[in-house]
Amino acid sequence: MKWKLVYVLVALMTFGLGVAVVSFTYSAIDHSSTDKIPGQALSEPPCNNEETASQFPAFWHDFRDAVQRDDKIKLFSMIEKCNFGWEPFDPDSGLRYPLEADYRYDPFPLESPFHLEGARSTWGGHLRFRTYEQFLANYDVIFSEGFKTRLVDSDPTTSEECRYAISWEGEVLHHLCFEDNDGKGFKFTGLRFEP
């Protein structure tokens, strides 16, 4: 019985010593790369938007001209690539190629490293065009004949929905929106509707 008690004490001391060594080793390791909250771990480099005209009349002249000429390269430089919104009332007018949504959420209960991909969507806000190919895949939806006709035949006005908009009433009120992009000039920011 005496020997059993000695074995139990030795086992407990060995276990305690092992826990102490592991704890000390863990605290000595540099955890700076994994101490970030998940939102920080998921941050991406800023999205690049080319500069466009800072005055809306000059932007609108160039944009309308590019729409008339079907100048896809020019139009790609004039859309909001980082925060494009496409919210059609008609579900058949959704974008064909799913784009990554630019928003993230932080799953606080989960430990880093934890990587989440952005949501994929064919409509909605905060969409990103990462490549020209993604833009081309959606070009015929964004610049369909109906939308091109409105862009060429109408003049934008100031709006409560966006800085400038071409608006029309159908089943709902639609807006093709244009916004000032943080000092990089104006951009076409997409389609919205109001019930």
Side-chain angles (χ1 to χ4, degrees):
M1 180 78 168
K2 201 177 193 183
W3 286 108
K4 286 184 183 179
L5 185 60
V6 170
Y7 287 135
V8 169
L9 285 173
V10 169
L12 286 173
M13 288 175 49
T14 305
F15 177 75
L17 183 61
V19 169
V21 168
V22 168
S23 179
F24 176 76
T25 305
Y26 182 79
S27 66
I29 296 173
D30 179 22
H31 294 287
S32 60
S33 64
T34 60
D35 285 342
K36 298 176 185 174
I37 63 170
Q40 292 171 324
L42 295 172
S43 64
E44 296 181 359
C47 190
N48 293 322
N49 272 314
E50 295 90 346
E51 288 194 27
T52 57
S54 60
Q55 299 298 316
F56 188 73
F59 170 83
W60 178 244
H61 177 268
D62 292 345
F63 185 81
R64 180 185 268 172
D65 181 60
V67 169
Q68 287 174 320
R69 292 184 294 108
D70 258 338
D71 187 341
K72 295 173 183 169
I73 294 173
K74 180 76 171 175
L75 289 170
F76 183 58
S77 73
M78 300 181 90
I79 67 161
E80 172 56 63
K81 293 179 194 62
C82 310
N83 190 12
F84 193 74
W86 195 256
E87 300 169 356
F89 182 70
D90 176 10
D92 293 333
S93 298
L95 300 177
R96 292 187 189 131
Y97 187 88
L99 300 172
E100 184 176 338
D102 191 33
Y103 56 84
R104 301 280 194 260
Y105 66 90
D106 295 333
F108 288 107
L110 301 172
E111 293 293 325
S112 294
F114 188 83
H115 302 288
L116 294 174
E117 294 299 320
R120 306 291 279 186
S121 178
T122 58
W123 70 278
H126 308 286
L127 302 176
R128 267 183 182 234
F129 287 98
R130 291 192 180 277
T131 64
Y132 180 61
E133 287 71 28
Q134 286 180 335
F135 173 70
L136 289 180
N138 290 292
Y139 182 84
D140 290 338
V141 176
I142 298 168
F143 295 101
S144 68
E145 287 305 314
F147 292 138
K148 281 170 61 174
T149 299
R150 291 192 187 282
L151 289 166
V152 170
D153 294 344
S154 306
D155 288 316
T157 58
T158 56
S159 165
E160 290 182 19
E161 281 297 306
C162 32
R163 182 87 185 270
Y164 290 94
I166 293 176
S167 303
W168 71 98
E169 188 113 20
E171 294 176 51
V172 294
L173 185 59
H174 296 85
H175 307 280
L176 292 169
C177 288
F178 303 89
E179 303 274 0
D180 189 3
N181 185 318
D182 297 328
K184 287 203 163 193
F186 279 88
K187 297 289 181 185
F188 173 48
T189 59
L191 173 68
R192 300 180 193 169
F193 76 87
E194 295 179 66

